[in-house]
Amino acid sequence: MFTINFHGRHQVEIATGRYCDNDQLYVCLEQNGELFADVSVCFPEISLKPDEFIFKTYGENTGLFQAMIDAERVVMVNLIDTPMDFLPVCRLSESLHVSPDC
């Protein structure tokens, strides 16, 4: 659990999984066991490494990317052109590992 400054201060946890469309990494934030925010977005036509995900920076997530960078929970590895605009490709920080069960 960690604190994030996004529309106020919140205690959240990172949860991961895999999208059914193409097995891309799914990342979300949970608060008290409930969904707080979907961090990732899936574009099936875009190939990523197994530990990378596309960070959703638009809509209700505006400002979340910077909050996650500030909290040292994600590292940007690339910027790609998607149907929604240019979006960052990220990995979870070194201290966070994706479960092999994802």
Side-chain angles (χ1 to χ4, degrees), residues 8 16 26-27 29 35 43 47 52 56-58 63-64 83-84 102:
T16 61
Y26 167 75
V27 179
L29 297 179
L35 180 65
F43 292 100
S47 295
E52 295 177 344
K56 181 183 176 194
T57 60
Y58 54 89
L64 183 57
M84 295 301 296
C102 293

Side-chain angles (χ1 to χ4, degrees), residues 6 13 23 26 29 32-33 36-37 40 44 55 64 74 89 95-96:
F6 176 66
E13 292 182 274
D23 207 37
Y26 167 75
L29 297 179
N32 301 320
F36 178 78
S40 62
F55 202 112
L64 183 57
V74 297
V89 174
S95 61
L96 304 170

Side-chain angles (χ1 to χ4, degrees), residues 5 8 29-30 41 44 51 57 59 64 79 82 85 88 90 92 96 99-100:
N5 290 310
L29 297 179
E30 294 180 346
V41 63
D51 63 342
T57 60
L64 183 57
L79 189 64
T82 73
D85 202 1
C90 296
L92 295 174
L96 304 170
S99 166

Side-chain angles (χ1 to χ4, degrees), residues 46-90:
I46 297 174
S47 295
L48 300 172
K49 293 180 181 176
D51 63 342
E52 295 177 344
F53 64 94
I54 301 170
F55 202 112
K56 181 183 176 194
T57 60
Y58 54 89
E60 69 278 2
N61 280 21
T62 301
L64 183 57
F65 176 66
Q66 188 60 53
M68 292 288 285
I69 292 286
D70 292 346
E72 300 180 349
R73 296 305 194 238
V74 297
V75 176
M76 187 175 105
V77 296
N78 198 3
L79 189 64
I80 59 169
D81 191 8
T82 73
M84 295 301 296
D85 202 1
F86 283 91
L87 296 176
V89 174
C90 296

